[in-house]
Amino acid sequence: MVMEDLRYVILLTIGILVAFTVVMTMVAYTVLAERRILGFIQGRLGPNRVGPGGFLQPIADLLKFIFKEDIVPDKSTRFVYFLAPTIATTAALMSIVVYPFGPDVHLGFNIPWIGNTIPLVVAKFDVALLYVLGVTSVGVYGIALAGWSSNNKYSLMGGLRSSAQMISYELALGLGLIGVILQSGTLNLQSIVERQSGHLGITGWNLIWVQPVGFIVYLIAAIAETNRVPFDLPEAETELVAGFHTEYSAMKFALFFLAEYVNMFTVSMLATTLFLGGWNGPFVHQLPWLGIFYFLGKVVLFLFFYIWLRGTLPRFRFDQLMSFGWKFLVPLAIINIVVTATIQWSGLFDWGAKFLKTATGWGG
Amino acid sequence: MLALLFILFAGMAVGCAISMVAQRNPLYSAISLIGVFISLTCLYVTLAAPFIAAVQVIVTPAPSWFWSYS
């Protein structure tokens, strides 16, 4: 019994370490890619001196963050001031474990202790979608507490704006996903992905068939949820210096920075899993390892979309942001839910899927 | 193993709950309340009730409504 527990814990630890390393590396290079692409959009070069094409820039940045002086403001509330970046980073990182990076890989031989099946997901969890929504929403505390504990008016404004914005858009985000849940009938991410395997792994995607409106609502709400341009009011440089992280320096600032990019990454992974078919793609059933490349490739598409938006859109005003969220996105999501539920209840989806499958060999 | 986890998280929950009532600053009370929620979540997970645990995590941001809309 103890042996079995130990084996489980060790396998889980290995899985977490692998997923963490992959995500962290990709996040580091997302920062570099963002700077290079922004440079391209704005007609300049961006960082290109450290290593070939700026390839080693993330390592240089990390070293710089570690060796910078760590300044703590005198009048700050020490405990909360130190707690805030921890909460932000932990909440951002915790949701990585439930995303299916690929299908189960069946090997032709036995590896001692592991067996002949390697699941490309760290934790198989039946209510994974609820878990993701819950854990990512805890991240609002990191920002709100950082704003409050810095004892700085601008930081406080940034923190308040951020908590109001994140709570408002959390609603639209969740409602946008309900259509997918209704249509798949499960909260298990692996099952949701498996349901989307259509012809060549492309035609079964939720985005194409059933949830274009839910996809748009989710995408916009996710940008607001991660505090990115055009919804980056919590750190609006022209109004609030740097918003909630004005008083943070060195590695504590780096943790906020990291949390923002990991959040961006996790919402992209969720969008890929729910709307773009996750690891589905051509020939993935013959070569299961391809699933990882399809999954990460789709995530990279989303990240590029984010960076593209940052380079091309101006910032919203706060009242515009609120009225857009509450008066446009939420009603749109509710209408989407009602329409999806009605069609689902009438059996039109099943009929259509069966028709397409028999007539053309398409559909999920 | 499970008993150890239970003692750990139950102790955390009770401690945070007492601190929530005893604090003078409302914001510290809110932070303690978050602590209570998180330890309850861990207790539900050890009881093999993942759905209730997930719902408990989802209501965790509720205290942040207090300071953003008041």
Side-chain angles (χ1 to χ4, degrees):
Chain A
M1 188 58 200
V2 175
M3 207 57 195
E4 192 60 23
D5 277 356
L6 194 67
R7 173 175 170 270
Y8 186 66
V9 168
I10 290 177
L11 289 185
L12 212 55
T13 314
I14 294 173
I16 290 171
L17 280 180
V18 172
F20 179 78
T21 317
V22 170
V23 170
M24 274 308 173
T25 317
M26 289 197 69
V27 164
Y29 281 96
T30 308
V31 180
L32 176 64
E34 170 153 27
R35 293 170 71 184
R36 291 306 302 265
I37 294 171
L38 276 184
F40 176 73
I41 290 173
Q42 296 163 354
R44 56 190 173 83
L45 282 175
N48 64 347
R49 292 304 158 104
V50 190
F55 195 69
L56 298 177
Q57 185 71 37
I59 299 168
D61 283 344
L62 179 72
L63 283 176
K64 179 187 151 211
F65 272 131
I66 290 174
F67 287 114
K68 273 185 111 169
E69 187 188 354
D70 193 16
I71 302 165
V72 180
D74 260 352
K75 294 275 177 63
S76 66
T77 316
R78 295 282 293 209
F79 177 69
V80 184
Y81 182 81
F82 282 99
L83 188 69
T86 328
I87 295 180
T89 319
T90 317
L93 282 173
M94 266 175 80
S95 67
I96 293 172
V97 289
V98 292
Y99 294 106
F101 285 80
D104 287 356
V105 180
H106 298 285
L107 302 169
F109 51 89
N110 261 317
I111 302 174
W113 270 49
I114 297 174
N116 64 352
T117 308
I118 299 177
L120 292 181
V121 49
V122 179
K124 287 181 176 167
F125 198 30
D126 272 339
V127 288
L129 194 51
L130 282 183
Y131 169 82
V132 170
L133 288 179
V135 164
T136 46
S137 63
V138 174
V140 65
Y141 282 122
I143 293 175
L145 291 181
W148 179 79
S149 67
S150 307
N151 196 24
N152 176 335
K153 294 282 188 299
Y154 290 126
S155 297
L156 186 62
M157 287 293 291
L160 281 178
R161 277 185 178 192
S162 169
S163 52
Q165 171 185 336
M166 284 174 84
I167 290 170
S168 306
Y169 278 80
E170 185 83 29
L171 201 66
L173 188 101
L175 289 177
L177 298 179
I178 300 243
V180 174
I181 301 172
L182 279 174
Q183 195 257 331
S184 336
T186 174
L187 290 170
N188 187 327
L189 292 179
Q190 188 76 304
S191 315
I192 293 177
V193 172
E194 273 160 11
R195 276 183 57 93
Q196 299 180 52
S197 63
H199 192 61
L200 273 181
I202 294 175
T203 56
W205 293 0
N206 277 335
L207 166 64
I208 302 171
W209 284 122
V210 274
Q211 290 297 332
V213 179
F215 177 69
I216 291 165
V217 170
Y218 173 80
L219 203 61
I220 297 173
I223 297 168
E225 190 69 13
T226 48
N227 300 325
R228 297 274 304 175
V229 179
F231 302 103
D232 67 336
L233 293 165
E235 44 198 271
E237 297 90 3
T238 42
E239 305 155 23
L240 296 178
V241 189
F244 62 91
H245 57 65
T246 309
E247 299 290 351
Y248 282 85
S249 58
M251 211 53 202
K252 287 205 285 296
F253 167 72
L255 284 182
F256 279 120
F257 198 65
L258 182 79
E260 183 187 326
Y261 279 84
V262 173
N263 265 329
M264 200 170 130
F265 204 81
T266 49
V267 294
S268 303
M269 289 208 282
L270 193 61
T272 306
T273 310
L274 293 180
F275 295 101
L276 291 196
W279 42 259
N280 278 310
F283 310 115
V284 80
H285 289 289
Q286 285 79 25
L287 289 166
W289 293 106
L290 270 180
I292 301 179
F293 294 102
Y294 287 135
F295 183 78
L296 292 179
K298 288 169 190 172
V299 171
V300 167
L301 276 184
F302 272 108
L303 292 175
F304 176 73
F305 177 69
Y306 269 77
I307 297 167
W308 188 14
L309 280 189
R310 175 166 177 187
T312 45
L313 285 183
R315 187 179 298 133
F316 271 70
R317 224 168 49 216
F318 196 68
D319 58 317
Q320 287 174 333
L321 172 98
M322 279 299 165
S323 66
F324 180 71
W326 286 105
K327 294 180 187 163
F328 178 72
L329 276 189
V330 173
L332 190 66
I334 291 175
I335 291 171
N336 181 43
I337 291 171
V338 173
V339 170
T340 311
T342 314
I343 296 178
Q344 189 73 16
W345 168 73
S346 68
L348 210 63
F349 276 148
D350 296 339
W351 183 84
K354 195 182 281 175
F355 173 76
L356 282 168
K357 195 151 197 161
T358 47
T360 61
W362 282 28
Chain B
M1 186 71 184
L2 278 181
L4 272 179
L5 288 176
F6 174 77
I7 292 168
L8 177 68
F9 292 123
M12 257 175 69
V14 173
C16 288
I18 292 172
S19 139
M20 185 191 99
V21 192
Q23 293 290 348
R24 286 195 168 271
N25 189 333
L27 207 117
Y28 287 140
S29 287
I31 296 171
S32 312
L33 188 64
I34 304 164
V36 176
F37 282 170
I38 302 277
S39 10
L40 280 186
T41 308
C42 299
L43 280 180
Y44 287 134
V45 171
T46 58
L47 290 171
F51 178 75
I52 303 181
V55 172
Q56 183 71 51
V57 181
I58 285 182
V59 301
T60 305
S64 66
W65 286 79
F66 296 143
W67 71 69
S68 56
Y69 287 116
S70 62

